[in-house]
Amino acid sequence: MALPPEKVSELKQIIRQQLTRMDVHGRIREVLAETIREELAPEHQQLSAEDLMKALRRRGIIDDVMKELTFVTDMNDRESTSTPKPSTHFVDRQPPVLQKTNIDPTRRYLYLQVLGGKAFLEHLQEPEPLPGQICSTFTLCLHFRNQRFRSKPVPCACEPDFHDGFLLEVHKDSLGDGSKMVDATTMLSICDPVHMVLIKTDTFGETTLVASYLLEWRSVLGAENRVTNVAVELLGVGTESKVSVGVLNIKLEMYPQLNKTLSQEIVNTQLALERQKTAEKERLFLVYAKQWWREYLQIRPSHNTRLVKIFAQDENGINRPVCSYVRPLRAGRLLDTPRQAARFVNVLGYERAPVIGGGGGKQEQWCTLLAFLCRNKGDCEDHANLLCSLLLGYGLEAFVCVGTKAKGVPHTWVMTCGTDGTITFWESLTGHRYIHNPINPDDAPLVEQPKPMYPYRTVGCVFNHQKFLGNCQPSDAVEVCVFDLHDESKWKPMSGEAIKSVCSPGATTSLPPFPPLCASTLDAAVISNEIELQLRILVSEHRKDLGLTIVWDDQLSYLLSPALAAYELERTTSISAGNEEFQDAIRRAVPDGHTFKGFPIHFVYRNARRAFSTCLRSPFCEEIICCRGDQVRLAVRVRVFTYPESACAVWIMFACKYRSVL
């Protein structure tokens, strides 16, 4: 049966990639040179193709190639459960397996290969990892036009062994027919960069942001041989944003190959025009922002001390308008409600930006969304920006508030304005919600005033993707503030057009695009079992060190599950349910004359040893784990709840029952 032309082309591409990856051409050249030296007589007899094939077979090269090729006959069983994705991620496995590609021959793709790294000098003295040894790893995360990819982890080294390929589809957001087989001229107008984030994961599973880079890929449109090799110098983040951390060797090519390439001069001119246009927009916005700030200070000189933040530095040390850090973000089917979104943001780890040296100062660093999601932790500003973006995606009128909490510590949180005028504060680090009822300072002393439950003290400004408003009320104390954002005597607005000129999607080429959320790759049941088993071992060892025996009660452990599920439901919905059934089951499981004690605790990480150490610091938990008495039975239950981006909430409950002996 004859294959259609596009399938033949696709098959040729796959075979070519396989031969290149195995370096078959280089090995054939070596065999050819060796055969000529050994077998050609002085009279220069002819060497036939048959002689060369015999030499290749004798050295096992043909057998190697045939072993590497895997012919897929039926993919129905494997693909029936998942929707075909618009792009493919090639990853080398051990042993290498040729993966079935999902290329549509009528669309354009950018094939980005990472061919190793060099000059990662911080790891110059890193020893070679032994087989099976756990070591620190690098992972490269990519985002391009709503597609996200992640490389396989490679051991940290001065020359990390990155060898990954990513097939990026160059398409319109609508995935419509208009994006099919775009030519070089059309692709030149697609200014979305490839956002690359390098993450380091240490032996304890802790992640660190190493570098963030926006790759300009359009140089391949003017490459003479339709392939371009780029040495990308990665710079550090935060205070090290001017310091090189290493170099990645990257190869770019288009699939299918372009029939006609552009001249390099045209490509360079287009890129220069875009940079010039972006710089002019940013300059005009800066002039406007300075004028706005002067007018704001003229209202009241004390405004100079208020936290009115118009610009913020990202991880690369670039000053960007704060409105560019927020954009309506839809979570698809990964999150169902705004409160579930708040819970998701809450379980992402909290970590202040690192500061070199002492002094206790706070390092200024607002992360781009991709860097925050890939690292799976960030500062309060990162959490607030993500929560505000998700709430905007759910159709709420949401703003990020910049102000202070107790003791004047700078802080950011999220506010939503209801259609009935209700103001709700959302604390992105805890998931808590607070209704704001302002105190009227002009009321008589005997009038009962609402007591604020929220931890916030002052608010200087509020913003989202379209609006920026400075607080110009006589006092910036949150408890007396009126959040009538349409009243310009209370809130001084910035021009919506000025904000749109630099913060709307595609307005400038310097803005990193917003990535979509990714579904969790974690199996909650498997991880729950693993952590529970590790905790049992740790408790047994701890009691053994104290000279105590241990008997586990599996049934009691199982009965703790409903309580953990109820705790997570309460965190997500603020509704408590199922407590009556849990208490009834425990009463039945604990005989008369026996005492039951339970201790639930919540974590956002999966390190069992670290969790156990934290639990032992609580006198209540230590009392259970080190319980002494007659007929002591111990129980532990772990329940992991997974969220997008492989974030998770880990609930652990230790319990014991024993006969009371007076």
Side-chain angles (χ1 to χ4, degrees):
M1 183 176 123
L3 285 171
E6 62 269 15
K7 289 293 180 187
V8 173
S9 170
E10 182 182 335
L11 190 59
K12 284 180 180 177
Q13 285 176 15
I14 294 170
I15 293 171
R16 193 181 302 118
Q17 288 165 12
Q18 183 72 3
L19 295 178
T20 305
R21 190 176 66 78
M22 293 178 63
D23 194 25
V24 170
H25 300 299
R27 292 164 71 184
I28 289 175
R29 277 194 290 271
E30 289 172 15
V31 171
L32 183 59
E34 193 178 324
T35 307
I36 289 172
R37 280 199 307 273
E38 290 177 0
E39 299 182 10
L40 279 189
E43 59 269 18
H44 302 291
Q45 65 187 30
Q46 293 293 318
L47 186 66
S48 67
E50 194 177 325
D51 294 330
L52 182 58
M53 289 296 286
K54 281 180 186 172
L56 292 172
R57 267 197 204 93
R58 198 163 58 243
R59 285 161 178 78
I61 291 175
I62 290 177
D63 289 340
D64 287 348
V65 173
M66 295 309 292
K67 280 178 194 169
E68 289 285 327
L69 289 173
T70 304
F71 294 97
V72 184
T73 54
D74 185 14
M75 295 295 290
N76 290 336
D77 294 339
R78 214 173 75 186
E79 292 189 349
S80 60
T81 56
S82 62
T83 308
K85 295 194 168 51
S87 48
T88 310
H89 177 189
F90 295 97
V91 179
D92 290 342
R93 306 279 180 203
Q94 293 296 335
V97 176
L98 182 63
Q99 303 223 345
K100 188 180 189 317
T101 58
N102 202 16
I103 296 176
D104 182 346
T106 63
R107 290 182 183 271
R108 290 279 184 211
Y109 296 88
L110 172 68
Y111 186 41
L112 186 152
Q113 289 175 274
V114 186
L115 304 174
K118 58 187 178 184
F120 285 79
L121 301 180
E122 191 175 328
H123 302 277
L124 191 59
Q125 305 299 328
E126 202 91 18
E128 281 285 323
L130 299 171
Q133 179 188 5
I134 297 175
C135 62
S136 299
T137 58
F138 282 138
T139 307
L140 190 65
C141 305
L142 275 73
H143 169 233
F144 178 69
R145 293 179 73 77
N146 239 29
Q147 304 159 77
R148 283 181 61 185
F149 302 88
R150 180 183 287 263
S151 74
K152 65 175 182 288
V154 299
C156 294
C158 183
E159 297 187 353
D161 189 27
F162 285 109
H163 277 93
D164 270 311
F166 307 94
L167 200 64
L168 315 178
E169 188 175 349
V170 185
H171 61 73
K172 301 234 188 295
D173 293 336
S174 63
L175 284 171
D177 290 345
S179 63
K180 292 189 175 183
M181 290 307 282
V182 289
D183 58 12
T185 308
T186 308
M187 286 191 286
L188 187 60
S189 65
I190 298 174
C191 58
D192 301 60
V194 180
H195 193 181
M196 305 167 66
V197 168
L198 185 63
I199 301 291
K200 177 183 175 181
T201 308
D202 67 15
T203 51
F204 301 103
E206 291 296 312
T207 54
T208 311
L209 177 62
V210 179
S212 175
Y213 186 83
L214 296 175
L215 174 68
E216 179 49 72
W217 58 275
R218 287 174 288 177
S219 56
V220 71
L221 301 176
E224 287 183 9
N225 53 359
R226 296 172 170 79
V227 176
T228 184
N229 290 285
V230 187
V232 171
E233 183 183 19
L234 301 177
L235 300 177
V237 296
T239 52
E240 301 174 43
S241 58
K242 306 295 183 210
V243 181
S244 175
V245 294
V247 176
L248 289 179
N249 296 317
I250 290 175
K251 180 180 177 183
L252 299 170
E253 54 187 311
M254 299 301 303
Y255 279 107
Q257 288 195 345
L258 296 169
N259 297 325
K260 182 182 178 184
T261 59
L262 304 172
S263 72
Q264 198 62 52
E265 187 182 353
I266 291 175
V267 175
N268 293 340
T269 303
Q270 172 71 15
L271 299 182
L273 284 170
E274 287 177 5
R275 284 193 295 269
Q276 184 182 345
K277 190 177 176 184
T278 294
E280 180 62 15
K281 284 183 177 181
E282 290 174 347
R283 186 189 69 80
L284 290 172
F285 182 77
L286 180 60
V287 169
Y288 170 75
K290 286 180 176 178
Q291 176 64 28
W292 183 93
W293 178 245
R294 280 194 295 269
E295 292 172 0
Y296 182 70
L297 292 182
Q298 285 172 8
I299 297 171
R300 203 173 283 110
S302 61
H303 285 181
N304 195 34
T305 60
R306 295 190 180 182
L307 276 177
V308 178
K309 194 156 196 60
I310 303 172
F311 295 92
Q313 281 191 357
D314 65 11
E315 66 265 26
N316 290 323
I318 297 171
N319 272 313
R320 293 169 43 201
V322 290
C323 297
S324 67
Y325 290 89
V326 174
R327 192 177 302 171
L329 181 64
R330 290 166 58 173
R333 299 191 184 277
L334 301 179
L335 297 167
D336 295 320
T337 66
R339 295 193 187 190
Q340 196 179 10
R343 178 60 174 155
F344 157 60
V345 175
N346 157 221
V347 298
L348 290 171
Y350 168 63
E351 181 184 80
R352 291 180 61 176
V355 180
I356 298 175
K362 188 176 187 296
Q363 171 63 32
E364 172 71 20
Q365 182 180 308
W366 292 28
C367 278
T368 55
L369 182 55
L370 184 68
F372 176 39
L373 294 176
C374 293
R375 190 170 53 140
N376 240 245
K377 59 186 176 184
D379 214 331
C380 62
E381 293 88 359
D382 305 323
H383 286 79
N385 290 335
L386 174 56
L387 178 56
C388 184
S389 297
L390 287 167
L391 295 182
L392 287 167
Y394 281 111
L396 301 179
E397 188 179 11
F399 295 87
V400 175
C401 302
V402 180
T404 62
K405 51 184 182 179
K407 298 181 181 177
V409 177
H411 190 63
T412 57
W413 65 97
V414 178
M415 171 185 79
T416 53
C417 306
T419 51
D420 59 354
T422 303
I423 300 298
T424 307
F425 293 149
W426 303 63
E427 177 47 64
S428 58
L429 296 180
T430 63
H432 293 160
R433 299 164 66 253
Y434 309 95
I435 301 297
H436 172 65
N437 292 309
I439 294 171
N440 187 351
D442 298 328
D443 280 344
L446 293 178
V447 175
E448 188 177 351
Q449 297 286 1
K451 187 178 179 182
M453 303 297 292
Y454 44 78
Y456 317 120
R457 294 293 175 264
T458 67
V459 57
C461 65
V462 301
F463 68 87
N464 61 18
H465 63 303
Q466 294 175 329
K467 298 177 181 178
F468 183 97
L469 302 114
N471 184 0
C472 53
Q473 297 172 61
S475 171
D476 62 351
V478 177
E479 56 188 16
V480 299
C481 273
V482 176
F483 287 89
D484 180 4
L485 303 182
H486 301 288
D487 187 346
E488 294 192 12
S489 68
K490 293 182 173 63
W491 295 92
K492 179 173 171 57
M494 265 195 175
S495 159
E497 286 300 314
I499 293 170
K500 188 178 177 182
S501 70
V502 289
C503 297
S504 63
T508 64
T509 54
S510 61
L511 288 183
F514 263 46
L517 296 183
C518 283
S520 177
T521 58
L522 304 176
D523 187 321
V526 170
I527 296 170
S528 300
N529 287 335
E530 286 176 356
I531 298 175
E532 193 170 304
L533 184 61
Q534 291 170 25
L535 287 175
R536 284 197 175 204
I537 294 169
L538 290 167
V539 171
S540 301
E541 290 175 350
H542 188 74
R543 286 182 65 87
K544 188 178 177 183
D545 291 343
L546 297 173
L548 300 172
T549 59
I550 184 163
V551 180
W552 291 103
D553 188 330
D554 290 338
Q555 175 62 13
L556 184 60
S557 296
Y558 179 71
L559 295 183
L560 303 177
S561 294
L564 299 182
Y567 297 148
E568 182 62 20
L569 180 67
E570 188 175 1
R571 286 288 181 100
T572 307
T573 63
S574 304
I575 298 170
S576 180
N579 194 39
E580 299 84 0
E581 295 90 342
F582 169 67
Q583 290 184 358
D584 189 58
I586 294 298
R587 286 193 191 99
R588 290 175 180 277
V590 178
D592 288 342
H594 284 62
T595 301
F596 171 82
K597 291 181 180 178
F599 176 78
I601 191 167
H602 166 256
F603 299 100
V604 294
Y605 51 81
R606 306 190 301 276
N607 187 322
R609 189 172 293 275
R610 182 178 162 195
F612 184 65
S613 300
T614 305
C615 291
L616 284 178
R617 291 195 207 110
S618 165
F620 301 107
C621 186
E622 190 184 25
E623 191 179 314
I624 292 171
I625 292 171
C626 306
C627 180
R628 296 170 185 266
D630 186 21
Q631 297 182 26
V632 175
R633 298 291 182 269
L634 288 172
V636 62
R637 192 65 170 172
V638 176
R639 180 71 168 87
V640 173
F641 298 87
T642 57
Y643 287 91
E645 299 297 329
S646 298
C648 61
V650 180
W651 282 97
I652 301 172
M653 192 173 201
F654 291 99
C656 68
K657 65 177 182 180
Y658 60 94
R659 175 180 285 171
S660 304
V661 179
L662 298 175

